[in-house]
Structures are given as structure tokens and as C-alpha cells.
Amino acid sequence: AQKVTQAQTEISVVEKEDVTLDCVYETRDTTYYLFWYKQPPSGELVFLIRRNSFDEQNEISGRYSWNFQKSTSSFNFTITASQVVDSAVYFCALNKGGGSEKLVFGKGTKLTVNP
Amino acid sequence: EPEVTQTPSHQVTQMGQEVILRCVPISNHLYFYWYRQILGQKVEFLVSFYNNEISEKSEIFDDQFSVERPDGSNFTLKIRSTKLEDSAMYFCASSVRGRGDEQYFGPGTRLTVT
């Protein structure tokens, strides 16, 4: 069975601090896909990034970066120089591939960035 | 930028009533999904739909639930006889391809069962 663990329930930082959101996943599949979604206070789910299990290259997009490490089954998300608009719940999700389309979500990490 | 839309944004219904939640997926997408999120909890998969049939469903998706694509644009979730525990935010999503593809979510319908 697939499982995603986001151990940090809530994180609070001051603007301009860097913050890392942890995600640990479990799957027996060799091909799988990992995602991060943002849920701002307005409630919608916004897609941020997708990674497949064969691509361990880290990715940077502006102030966002992602660190994928198969050896530790982790897919961590770092926000550099956080801003108040980054305040949201962030979900890590896993798709096991192999004919399944469903996303298995972690419980989310609520990030509050204070001015 | 194309987006998934959902109506209504909020639905209040009495226990035992039928509700239909509506979604318009992104037009060139071929795979459609419903998820739900009970308040303050994680997002849970309900069902995926491709080529006019259910391709996968979770244990939550029992006989009380059904999905339909009645025309070329709408995708609906019907709950036949609502229960208090069906109160949740229901998200529709769509993707171009199936497994591994990024799914784009609508804004959600908040269902309140009283």
C-alpha cells in the first residue's frame, strides 16, 4: 500500500525566513510519481510540481525548490525568503503508477508566514 | 488559462436527500476524478473516470455514489441518499493522461448535510 507522511502539522515562520516542508513516502512500486499541492485559505488545490521516480534531479522554480532522495524516500520542499502569500496548507501526494491514477495525499503541513 | 470549474460552491442538504455536484473539466483533458476533504483532514480519492467508465474507485465510493459524463463538457457526482458523514469539500480534478500525470483541481463544492 502507498503512504505519504508529512510529520510537520504546522510551521510558523517570519517573513524572509527559509522553510523546509518534509515529505516521506512509502511504496513498493519501482515506478511512481510525487507531487506537491498548495491549498491557500481560499480552499482550492494548486498544483506545484510533479516528479517521477527515475528523475532524482533537484528542481528550482523561483523561490521554491524540491529535493527528491530515493535513498530516504523523501521529497522535501523548500521555500526560500518566505512571504506572507506563501501561507497555506501544503500537501505532498503519491501516485503509484501501474494503471492507477489515484493520488494518495499526506495530511498536509500548515505554513503560516508572519510579517 | 483553462481551469476546472465546479458548481455549486456550497450546497446544504438534509440527510437522506440526493445531491448532484457538477464539474466542468479542462476541455482537452481525458481523465476525470473526484476527491473529498473532510474539514481539516487530508484529501481522499473517490473515483477516476476515463472513456465513459469508472477506471478506479476507493472503498469510500459505495453504491450511494455514482458519476456520469452526461455531455461533452460536464462531469457529475451524485450522492443518492446523503448522510451526515458525507459533509465535506468535494473536489473535481482532470488530467490529460492518466497515471503519473498532474491533476488540476477545481475550487471545490462544500457539501453540508444537516
Side-chain angles (χ1 to χ4, degrees):
Chain A
Q2 300 76 45
K3 186 178 177 184
V4 176
T5 300
Q6 295 179 255
Q8 305 150 308
T9 307
E10 291 193 43
I11 299 176
S12 183
V13 299
V14 177
E15 214 171 12
K16 297 184 184 172
E17 278 186 45
D18 298 347
V19 58
T20 295
L21 310 182
D22 297 333
C23 172
V24 173
Y25 62 90
E26 293 176 32
T27 180
R28 293 183 179 178
D29 300 278
T30 52
T31 302
Y32 52 89
Y33 305 84
L34 295 163
F35 303 81
W36 276 94
Y37 283 84
K38 174 182 180 180
Q39 187 174 44
S42 48
E44 71 272 26
L45 285 164
V46 179
F47 166 75
L48 294 178
I49 190 171
R50 165 191 176 273
R51 244 328 173 234
N52 74 53
S53 53
F54 298 107
D55 182 3
E56 282 193 79
Q57 268 196 326
N58 291 332
E59 177 147 346
I60 298 175
S61 175
R63 295 184 297 106
Y64 294 172
S65 62
W66 290 269
N67 183 347
F68 176 29
Q69 291 198 339
K70 284 175 78 170
S71 60
T72 54
S73 297
S74 65
F75 185 43
N76 297 337
F77 173 30
T78 297
I79 302 174
T80 303
S82 58
Q83 299 176 0
V84 172
V85 293
D86 296 326
S87 297
V89 180
Y90 291 87
F91 290 96
C92 181
L94 167 70
N95 168 247
K96 73 167 189 174
S100 171
E101 294 101 31
K102 79 174 182 183
L103 295 179
V104 174
F105 283 81
K107 291 184 177 180
T109 297
K110 182 177 181 182
L111 173 66
T112 302
V113 182
N114 298 297
Chain B
E1 186 176 318
E3 56 184 24
V4 177
T5 60
Q6 290 185 244
T7 53
S9 56
H10 190 191
Q11 172 102 40
V12 181
T13 190
Q14 288 191 326
M15 201 166 48
Q17 295 297 304
E18 174 184 287
V19 293
I20 297 176
L21 310 183
R22 292 185 165 79
C23 167
V24 178
I26 295 173
S27 61
N28 65 328
H29 287 191
L30 300 177
Y31 292 79
F32 315 117
Y33 314 88
W34 284 101
Y35 291 79
R36 80 173 185 190
Q37 184 182 31
I38 294 172
L39 188 62
Q41 298 187 24
K42 67 178 176 181
V43 180
E44 301 174 290
F45 170 80
L46 292 177
V47 66
S48 58
F49 191 86
Y50 169 70
N51 202 23
N52 280 319
E53 57 184 37
I54 292 173
S55 49
E56 189 175 2
K57 60 182 181 179
S58 71
E59 356 18 283
I60 303 169
F61 194 88
D62 61 22
D63 292 344
Q64 294 298 315
F65 292 88
S66 62
V67 288
E68 193 178 35
R69 188 153 162 83
D71 53 44
S73 58
N74 289 284
F75 179 51
T76 62
L77 173 70
K78 182 193 289 187
I79 309 175
R80 189 147 34 100
S81 178
T82 49
K83 305 177 192 133
L84 293 176
E85 54 265 36
D86 293 327
S87 294
M89 180 75 93
Y90 288 80
F91 290 103
C92 174
S94 67
S95 64
V96 175
R97 294 168 294 273
R99 66 177 178 90
D101 203 17
E102 55 262 35
Q103 297 177 17
Y104 291 90
F105 285 75
T109 293
R110 178 162 298 287
L111 177 65
T112 303
V113 183
T114 61

